[in-house]
Amino acid sequence: MNPFSSQQRCFMHVYIMRHGDAALEAASDAQRPLTHCGIEETQQMSRWLAGRQSHFDLTLVSPFLRAQQTFTSFSNNVVQSGRVETLDMLTPAGDAQAVSDYLQGLASEGVEAVMVISHLPLVGYLVSALCPEQCPLMFATAGIAHIDYDAKAARGTLCWQESPSRLAAAM
């Protein structure tokens, strides 16, 4: 029997991305825009990711400006997004367990690939919530982590984490 059969298990590819580099000055934290560097690193990461995962069934995005701009830059630069949801729970102080529970529900519904665009510290804690054996990860701006998530076992496996600076060093 195929272990990836939907009758046996519900697997989902979860990609977690921190927003690109953002300006420090703004009327509020929620209104901080991406810098030119932030746009470039987001585009770099989207081109790289498109060779590995070019389509997402669902993209979940923080309502903060820098995350919304990261999504726009990301989706306009190769990567295809199906449905897009802006979720208040994806702000920097969001509850990683609540987001994990939401993702669990999506996996159980048959969503196969989801992108989450959010902030520190939430992105690091979300990795730990999905992969209990993992310590919270640090994310560079525009950094991405890939988790294979098994909804039946309610447990994920961290496959990799990549950043713009590591990609640049590898070239």
Side-chain angles (χ1 to χ4, degrees), residues 94-136:
D95 181 342
Q97 190 56 55
V99 177
S100 176
D101 292 346
Y102 189 78
L103 291 169
Q104 167 77 25
L106 293 173
S108 298
E109 293 171 7
V111 173
E112 293 180 10
V114 64
M115 168 63 81
V116 177
I117 301 175
S118 188
H119 315 264
L120 280 178
L122 180 64
V123 291
Y125 291 132
L126 182 55
V127 171
S128 290
L130 295 170
C131 306
E133 73 285 350
Q134 283 286 305
C135 291

Side-chain angles (χ1 to χ4, degrees), residues 31-52:
Q31 295 175 335
R32 291 175 46 215
L34 290 182
T35 62
H36 179 69
C37 176
I39 293 168
E40 286 183 358
E41 64 190 10
T42 299
Q43 291 173 346
Q44 174 191 14
M45 292 303 290
S46 66
R47 286 189 298 271
W48 177 81
L49 186 59
R52 286 146 188 82

Side-chain angles (χ1 to χ4, degrees), residues 40-42 44-45 140-144 162-170:
E40 286 183 358
E41 64 190 10
T42 299
Q44 174 191 14
M45 292 303 290
T141 54
I144 301 172
E162 194 56 79
S163 69
S165 61
R166 274 205 301 241
L167 286 183

